[in-house]
Amino acid sequence: MSENMEKFLSIIVPVYKEEENILNFLSRTETVLNKVTEKYEIIFCLDPSPDKTEEIILNEINRNERIRLIKFSRRFGQPAATMAGIHYCNGDACVVIDVDLQDPPELIISMIVKWEEGYKVVYAKRRSRKGETLIKKAITRFGYKLINKISDVDIPPNTGDFRLMDRIVIDELKKLHESHGFLRGMVAFVGFKQDFIEYDRDERASGISNYNRYVGSLKIAINGIVGFSIRPLQLATLTGGLIAIGAFILGLWILIEKIFLHAELTPGLTWTIVLITFLSGVQLLSLGIMGEYIGRIYEEVKCRPLYIIDYSQNYHRK
């Protein structure tokens, strides 16, 4: 890595209720950045928090003029906050990182080395995950396998949003207007030369996660599947066709038994109930799959903004 590189680096940090982690995060991150560049900005993208997160960031801005704050008018969620940072960052490259220090800022140095070798995206791949429930790990593992099996893009498994992206990738991401900002999928869709760095993910430094440990990964998986593949719709069509063929064959067999074999069929409701219940379940599942796509179409055609900014502090666009 070249010493004191001249390129400008942006650090994008989505935050919500993280008052206990801001100072520790800045201490470690600034130490890393001061080793590699004199040109950087740290952009906190803040969903309005009931704690002192905003106050602490504003105090730190007075200490370091390279710290920025973008505050939203209401809580839009981490994906929207991340995309806001991507839209407004000034750097020749940006690094998306969480403030809870599960993703070590020290890894940024290795990312920069890969970037200087010519890679446009350098993402962090997790070898291990401390502090995560077995349910979350299982959903994550299954979700990545399913997404990569049926989606139209290859999304690296065991990764999060922690990654470095070159300006060329940033500019392409800014052209994508999606209400559900699944960054991992969007970066995979954009393409370019990519590489990864493996690391062991730590537990949160302090505080309680704002991420739902039970359904959070499930929501991400649904976004990844629905946002980057139409195969669930094709599967629903195929399933319906197979069931229709099976029902036709069953009806034909009953007709043959009744007319040609003169079989005495035992009257009863058991098979009728089973078939009706099964077909109803398939129909509801198919409607649910279609509903996911229709819901996203509905949200996209409204063309509502991904986020609304209340104010920005110490922000200057180049």
Side-chain angles (χ1 to χ4, degrees), residues 45 55-56 73 91 94 128 140 149 155 184 201 311 315:
C45 302
E55 178 183 338
I56 294 172
S73 60
C94 75
S128 62
T140 300
K149 189 71 174 178
I155 301 174
R184 279 157 269 187
R201 196 171 197 229
Y311 76 91
Y315 178 80

Side-chain angles (χ1 to χ4, degrees), residues 90-151:
N90 293 311
D92 297 298
C94 75
V95 174
V96 178
I97 185 172
D98 290 337
V99 75
D100 57 16
L101 296 173
Q102 286 188 282
D103 301 324
E106 292 76 15
L107 210 62
I108 294 174
I109 296 177
S110 299
M111 290 180 170
I112 292 174
V113 172
K114 291 280 187 181
W115 178 41
E116 291 183 333
E117 290 174 359
Y119 292 99
K120 302 303 181 184
V121 176
V122 184
Y123 55 88
K125 187 174 182 179
R126 302 159 183 168
R127 278 191 300 255
S128 62
R129 301 161 173 259
K130 297 180 181 178
E132 293 187 359
T133 64
L134 290 176
I135 294 176
K136 183 177 184 299
K137 291 179 180 179
I139 292 175
T140 300
R141 188 179 300 110
F142 174 76
Y144 275 115
K145 287 184 178 179
L146 182 60
I147 290 172
N148 286 325
K149 189 71 174 178
I150 68 175
S151 69

